[in-house]
Structures are given as structure tokens and as C-alpha cells.
Amino acid sequence: MIHTHCTCGHSLSFPEAVLNRPVTCHACGKTLRTVAAAVEPLFRADDFTARLVIESGPCRIGEQMLLGGSRAIEIGSVPTRPIFLTGHEVAPHHARLVKCEQGWRLEAHECAYGVQVNGTRVQAADLHDQDAIRIGPYTLRFARSATTTTPHLHHIHPTVVVKKTVEDPRSYELKLPEKP
């Protein structure tokens, strides 16, 4: 089971079998999906280390994607891509997200449309918390933490503390009780 929280703060739990499929938050109605290149052996909930949120685009605004796994996550207009974005300005093999030692890296494939991070066209860029990624008509907001909890802690009731600050208005912190 994967245990996480929606950006509204509501706790969600779902099986690994829903990888790359949408799950709806019953509290706010937003869509969340776990995204990875493929189901890996011994896939764990804490493998999801970052979150993308679709902030603008022709569809799926507000959808959250938890990023995980050790393989590159492809982005493009082909429906079989883990991150499938529609639109004539999205190439079939537009870009990919690569997990690296520092976190996540965005790499653009050679296409006419390009990729922007914080308004600057890039071929590759290490992603930082709250970076805005522009792919075709979509703006995706990157967050370094997916706020997931590990499977072995599913019996513990975590407390979600909402931190709304000027620097990070979308920040949510998950606090686990101290060990007995």
C-alpha cells in the first residue's frame, strides 16, 4: 500500500497496482497518480520522492503526480508515456525526468517545442522545490517532497501540519509520532 496526502491535506492510501492510474481525493476531488517508468521489484511507497502538479494547461489542472522509481520517467504526447500530455505543442517524446543523487533532473529530447524551467528554455536542468516547468501548453509545478509515508508505518496515525508561508504557500509537512 502507498500512503500519502493530497495537497489539500487529506490522507490517501491505495495499492501499488494503481501505478500510473488516477486516484481521486474524496475530500477535494483532485486527481493524484503515482508515476514511475515501470513497477520495480520491491517497490516501496517511500520511493516516491517528488510531486508534480499541473497548474495550467488545456486539461487536468490540479492533477498531482507522485514521482518514483529508479528509471527515467518519459513525458510526451503518446498515451503510453507515464506522463501523457495532450496538445499539438507536445512532442511524442518531449522530455524525461531522471532521478539522480541530488533529486530529480529534467532532460529535454530534441524537439522543436523545447522545455522551459522558470521561464528559461533548457536542454537539461536539476529541479528545485517550486520550479515551474513549461511543456507545450502545460505548466507543471515541482515539489521535492511527495509527502509519502513508508508502508511499515501505515498503522501509525501521522499528523499533517499545514505551513502556509510566503516562500512556500503549497508546503505540507507530515509529522510522525515519536517511537515508543
Side-chain angles (χ1 to χ4, degrees), residues 111-173:
C111 70
Y113 307 113
V115 173
Q116 292 182 7
V117 175
N118 299 324
T120 303
R121 188 172 175 143
V122 297
Q123 189 59 39
D126 291 330
L127 295 174
H128 300 89
D129 203 35
Q130 299 305 309
D131 277 349
I133 301 166
R134 184 84 177 167
I135 297 176
Y138 293 89
T139 299
L140 307 142
R141 182 70 59 181
F142 177 80
R144 288 190 65 99
S145 173
T147 63
T148 58
T149 61
T150 56
H152 65 279
L153 297 175
H154 72 277
H155 63 284
I156 297 173
H157 299 289
T159 303
V160 177
V161 178
V162 179
K163 292 170 130 182
K164 294 208 179 241
T165 64
V166 175
E167 300 83 34
D168 192 5
R170 295 177 193 87
S171 174
Y172 295 91
E173 180 180 302

